[in-house]
Amino acid sequence: MPVEPPRQKHSQPIAVHGPSGREFACSPAGVAAFIVDDLDRVLILSSPPKRGRTGTWEVVSGGVEAGETLLEAAMREVREEAGTDLRVRPLGVIHGYSFPFDETVEWMISIAFLFACDGGTVRPGDDVADSQARWISPEEIERGEVEIIIPGNQNWLFRHAVESRRLLEPRGPVRLQPERDSKY
């Protein structure tokens, strides 16, 4: 007897695993790159004029393209938006969340990556042409010195990114006990 395809309850597409019939939500994915420098500041870019949100700021971000892993997408977005002169090193994922996107895309998944800045110059690329770059501290974010739109309503992530970088950065060897010839 043929198996009837599942009925969609929402506009969100689903994928059905053939053997089990299990339904999986198919949500588009985006990535956000929290790039933290040695002074505990996060890179933000002004929203490009073409997006019509002047006066607002965002972290490097964008959609995952077909065939990309999440990390590949995050690295591509860093190159496209912050430029190829900026040297970064991925440290890990610091947050994941979903949010309503628009009428067509009911839910979008966003993965926030943490990157350490290892130097270089920020040169906004074609994706964010005419954007300004700024390094900002979590304290400046908390004081409301800028309006952050990406990530929306998630300003706590800036402090989390800085604190996570401190935890994940190698700090060099730590002496756990005195040397053999030490007096102590």
Side-chain angles (χ1 to χ4, degrees):
M1 180 179 262
V3 176
E4 190 177 318
R7 287 185 220 110
Q8 252 179 271
K9 299 172 190 139
H10 304 283
S11 62
Q12 183 177 17
I14 58 171
V16 179
H17 180 250
S20 70
R22 183 172 177 195
E23 295 180 7
F24 295 94
C26 296
S27 296
V31 291
F34 286 78
I35 303 167
V36 181
D37 70 4
D38 288 337
L39 299 175
D40 291 341
R41 301 174 304 173
V42 179
L43 176 65
I44 57 174
L45 302 170
S46 62
S47 297
K50 66 182 177 185
R51 293 187 191 159
R53 307 262 333 238
T54 57
T56 59
W57 296 81
E58 54 194 70
V59 296
V60 170
S61 60
V64 177
E65 295 179 356
E68 281 184 318
T69 67
L70 294 170
L71 181 57
E72 288 169 343
M75 295 295 291
R76 176 185 48 76
E77 289 295 340
V78 169
R79 284 189 309 274
E80 288 177 1
E81 294 189 5
T84 56
D85 292 340
L86 187 67
R87 295 184 312 278
V88 299
R89 186 170 22 91
L91 297 177
V93 171
I94 57 170
H95 189 57
Y97 57 99
S98 56
F99 61 95
F101 189 73
D102 64 17
E103 297 79 38
T104 308
V105 176
E106 186 174 357
W107 290 101
M108 184 146 184
I109 296 169
S110 186
I111 306 298
F113 279 88
L114 174 63
F115 290 89
C117 178
D118 287 338
T121 305
V122 178
R123 297 188 199 293
D126 294 342
D127 275 9
V128 290
D130 301 320
S131 289
Q132 300 298 310
R134 176 177 175 180
W135 293 95
I136 193 163
S137 71
E139 294 78 20
E140 291 169 302
I141 297 280
E142 290 161 2
R143 286 193 301 264
E145 292 186 20
V146 296
E147 181 185 353
I148 302 290
I149 61 167
I150 297 177
N153 300 318
Q154 307 259 354
N155 287 349
W156 62 271
L157 267 171
F158 288 85
R159 182 163 300 283
H160 183 60
V162 167
E163 291 170 354
S164 296
R165 181 181 185 270
R166 288 181 193 152
L167 288 172
L168 295 170
E169 272 295 296
R171 296 284 182 204
V174 175
R175 284 182 61 178
L176 300 177
Q177 64 185 31
E179 302 272 334
R180 190 183 254 301
D181 294 337
S182 175
K183 294 179 192 176
Y184 304 102

